[in-house]
Amino acid sequence: MFYYQNISQYQKQLFEGSISCLDAVEHYLSKINEHRDLNAFVQIYDVESRQRAISLDEKRKKGKTCGKLHGIVIALKDVICYKDHNISASSAILKNFNSIYSSTAVEKLLQEDAIIIGNCNCDEFAMGSTNENSVYGRVKNALDPAKVPGGSSGGSAVAVQAGLSMVSLGSDTGGSVRQPADFCGIVGMKPSYGTISRHGLIAYASSFDQIGIFSKNVEDAAKVLEVISGKDEYDSTVNQKKSENFSLGSNSKKYKIALFKNAMEHESLDHEIKKGIYDLSKNLKDDGHIVEEINFELIDFIVPAYYVLTTAEASANLSRYDGVRYGYRDTNNDEDLTTFYKRTRGNGFGKEVKKRIMLGSFVLSEGYYDAYFTKAQQVRNILVTQTKEIFKNFDALLLPTVPQTAFEAGRMQKDPIAMYLADIYTVYANLTGIPGISLPLFKHSNGMPFGAQVLTNKHNELTLLELSGLLLKDYKKY
Ligand code: GLN
């Protein structure tokens, strides 16, 4: 029977000849089929992934040089472009639209022999925390189908959680990889801003967006990151350094870790999650690491700053969906152009996206610009400065990923403010551009998993991954 543990173990079996890429693809296709009710996938590339598996099997048997991700079965979030494949950002405005080019991340995956099995459901244009804002309907959490998987990359998270792919890609603008990873009990990593090219990633808020990785272990995330990171002539914000080697050896380092006191004492934090993080810091101290609580007075400003800046960027980014250039258009063309735009955008976008476009237009409007947009930028600048100071003294920061565990579908829809506020622990990394990861270390008495979030200095993915490997190996609580 096919059993997947990690990339190395799988590839070892491939090269020994005990399994084939086709065995793996058949396994995942049947799992996807078995779990269709979870609604994790919006497209399944069955014919093509079988063909690719066969050609990879031939390549390996002929003794040709194989790529680093040889035979790895991966799923993409429906915002990551793959040439000649449907891409819709789970929105009616792009339904039936085919990518005319591949994102750099996809190009790199293919160059290293990965197999793309399909693309995954998400919140429309990556806006949301529950995967309920999708034109394809909600995604279900495989641990409890009545509950949400988190969002916006809910489908990609469930693909890994339910064993429908080995790893998957999502995007994280304010927590959309780390939060669903927390809700689903898997690893979710957002690299530093500028680590992975955004070329071919459908834009939500360009100064925040970053492709992220879901996996069942830290080693797999490191391997995928090594392949898809690195400079790219199509994205000038990418760190121009050569992509690093993230392979993880054995680790006996002692770390100096900070804990945000104000975050830990925040009223929204579930007491079991709080206890989990405090117990973890105590265990770390007992093992010779240093964990210190430090103040973080700006905690209550980060969610407002995030929503002001990201909606502003979204209102500009989404102006391209006008029904003229591509995507859905309202064909009743006997009216003037303005009415045509209004009808196309009014019918094409869902409620949450329209709300954010309006909010973003408002904060950018003359008369309100300084009161909202400029102020939020000031908060962002202060955060960046403070963060640089913190990492002069510490190797890493430890935080909860989300203040609560996964909740019932429909519950938060009635209270959008509460939903936005639940992003309190994840948006900080996107505002400052630092890397973050959610590690599945805990289980709540309500039966759902929850994670610990680790953050390190900008472009220090190596420390993030090394420390994460150690935490997942030695400090998992269930
Ligand atoms: N929950 C956040 C939001 O709705 C995160 C989105 C994201 O990271 N794409 O904006």
Side-chain angles (χ1 to χ4, degrees):
M1 206 191 86
F2 182 85
Y3 166 73
Y4 180 78
Q5 193 185 347
N6 57 45
I7 292 179
S8 318
Q9 165 263 0
Y10 164 66
Q11 288 183 333
K12 189 165 167 278
Q13 287 177 289
L14 283 181
F15 286 96
E16 282 167 2
S18 55
I19 53 161
S20 67
C21 296
L22 189 59
D23 291 337
V25 165
E26 292 299 351
H27 167 85
Y28 288 106
L29 289 174
S30 77
K31 283 276 169 200
I32 292 171
N33 202 28
E34 201 182 301
H35 290 291
R36 275 187 183 272
D37 59 311
L38 298 174
N39 204 19
F41 279 82
V42 297
Q43 307 277 329
I44 301 152
Y45 311 138
D46 47 356
V47 176
E48 145 185 1
S49 53
R50 280 191 182 106
Q51 277 166 358
R52 184 154 169 90
I54 292 167
S55 76
L56 289 172
D57 285 335
E58 277 169 16
K59 178 177 178 180
R60 194 178 60 258
K61 281 175 196 152
K62 281 186 188 148
K64 291 194 181 159
T65 320
C66 294
K68 287 186 188 165
L69 296 181
H70 185 79
I72 300 308
V73 177
I74 186 163
L76 304 173
K77 180 177 181 179
D78 191 22
V79 290
I80 299 173
C81 294
Y82 182 12
K83 191 170 190 258
D84 297 329
H85 293 73
N86 186 264
I87 181 96
S88 74
S90 294
S91 175
I93 212 156
L94 277 178
K95 224 174 171 181
N96 306 321
F97 179 76
N98 279 351
S99 291
I100 52 171
Y101 58 85
S102 285
S103 58
T104 301
V106 164
E107 297 274 5
K108 291 187 176 192
L109 288 175
L110 295 175
Q111 266 162 26
E112 295 295 335
D113 288 358
I115 302 170
I116 299 173
I117 198 149
N119 72 339
C120 291
N121 203 342
C122 62
D123 280 302
E124 185 179 1
F125 284 99
M127 297 175 185
S129 309
T130 60
N131 216 134
E132 292 170 294
N133 310 327
S134 163
V135 72
Y136 305 107
R138 80 174 184 98
V139 176
K140 296 175 182 167
N141 191 315
L143 284 168
D144 179 351
K147 297 208 164 90
V148 301
S152 63
S153 317
S156 303
V158 171
V160 171
Q161 179 198 35
L164 316 180
S165 68
M166 294 174 184
V167 284
S168 66
L169 296 189
S171 67
D172 190 313
T173 304
S176 279
V177 167
R178 290 160 289 152
Q179 187 257 20
D182 174 285
F183 279 13
C184 291
I186 58 171
V187 173
M189 184 205 182
K190 178 202 93 78
S192 310
Y193 183 77
T195 296
I196 300 172
S197 168
R198 286 177 295 111
H199 175 65
L201 167 67
I202 292 187
Y204 158 20
S206 309
S207 76
F208 292 73
D209 297 339
Q210 183 64 196
I211 288 177
I213 303 158
F214 292 100
S215 59
K216 287 229 157 128
N217 57 67
V218 178
E219 294 77 9
D220 283 5
K223 288 213 164 90
V224 174
L225 183 68
E226 207 171 294
V227 166
I228 64 176
S229 59
K231 63 175 192 270
D232 179 22
E233 59 176 301
Y234 294 114
D235 178 359
S236 61
T237 63
V238 172
N239 183 13
Q240 290 301 310
K241 260 183 23 206
K242 216 175 123 285
S243 69
E244 278 178 79
N245 180 340
F246 296 115
S247 53
L248 309 172
S250 67
N251 183 3
S252 54
K253 281 184 205 150
K254 296 295 171 205
Y255 291 90
K256 192 171 175 200
I257 301 166
L259 203 60
F260 281 154
K261 198 165 181 290
N262 315 61
M264 293 304 294
E265 280 165 6
H266 203 268
E267 58 191 12
S268 64
L269 182 59
D270 173 278
H271 73 272
E272 267 186 56
I273 300 182
K274 181 173 173 171
K275 185 171 178 310
I277 302 292
Y278 272 133
D279 286 353
L280 172 63
S281 34
K282 184 175 176 307
N283 294 342
L284 284 164
K285 277 195 232 170
D286 291 346
D287 293 342
H289 302 278
I290 297 169
V291 185
E292 275 174 25
E293 280 200 279
I294 58 171
N295 285 333
F296 183 56
E297 273 97 10
L298 284 175
I299 183 94
D300 286 321
F301 294 92
I302 58 176
V303 172
Y306 167 81
Y307 276 96
V308 167
L309 295 171
T310 53
T311 56
E313 291 188 25
S315 73
N317 273 328
L318 272 60
S319 65
R320 73 192 69 177
Y321 306 103
D322 56 8
V324 176
R325 284 170 281 195
Y326 47 82
Y328 166 81
R329 62 156 57 204
D330 198 308
T331 44
N332 183 355
N333 51 17
D334 51 355
E335 290 151 325
D336 61 285
L337 192 61
T338 311
T339 317
F340 164 76
Y341 284 152
K342 275 191 193 161
R343 269 218 324 263
T344 297
R345 288 167 65 82
N347 296 335
F349 288 130
K351 212 169 130 203
E352 181 64 25
V353 173
K354 280 190 268 196
K355 182 163 73 186
R356 294 197 193 197
I357 292 173
M358 286 192 285
L359 250 169
S361 310
F362 174 75
V363 299
L364 287 174
S365 61
E366 210 190 334
Y368 292 101
Y369 187 93
D370 280 340
Y372 293 98
F373 190 71
T374 307
K375 272 272 175 289
Q377 275 183 314
Q378 285 166 345
V379 171
R380 192 177 199 183
N381 286 338
I382 298 171
L383 284 171
V384 170
T385 312
Q386 286 189 351
T387 305
K388 283 190 185 142
E389 286 305 310
I390 293 169
F391 288 115
K392 280 185 188 159
N393 291 316
F394 293 93
D395 300 309
L397 254 164
L398 179 64
L399 274 175
T401 310
V402 195
Q404 310 134 34
T405 54
F407 42 84
E408 275 75 27
R411 200 178 94 195
M412 286 287 203
Q413 292 297 334
K414 292 169 210 134
D415 193 352
I417 301 287
M419 180 117 90
Y420 291 169
L421 288 174
D423 294 333
I424 187 159
Y425 300 126
T426 47
V427 296
Y428 169 68
N430 307 78
L431 280 158
T432 54
I434 63 174
I437 193 165
S438 182
L439 301 167
L441 295 184
F442 309 100
K443 194 167 183 174
H444 198 276
S445 60
N446 65 17
M448 297 310 282
F450 65 92
Q453 186 183 194
V454 182
L455 307 157
T456 53
N457 203 3
K458 193 160 181 189
H459 299 311
N460 194 353
E461 272 75 8
L462 191 59
T463 300
L464 184 81
L465 291 163
E466 283 178 344
L467 174 56
S468 300
L470 177 91
L471 291 175
L472 206 53
K473 185 164 87 44
D474 292 346
Y475 298 89
K476 197 171 165 81
K477 290 288 181 222
Y478 67 97

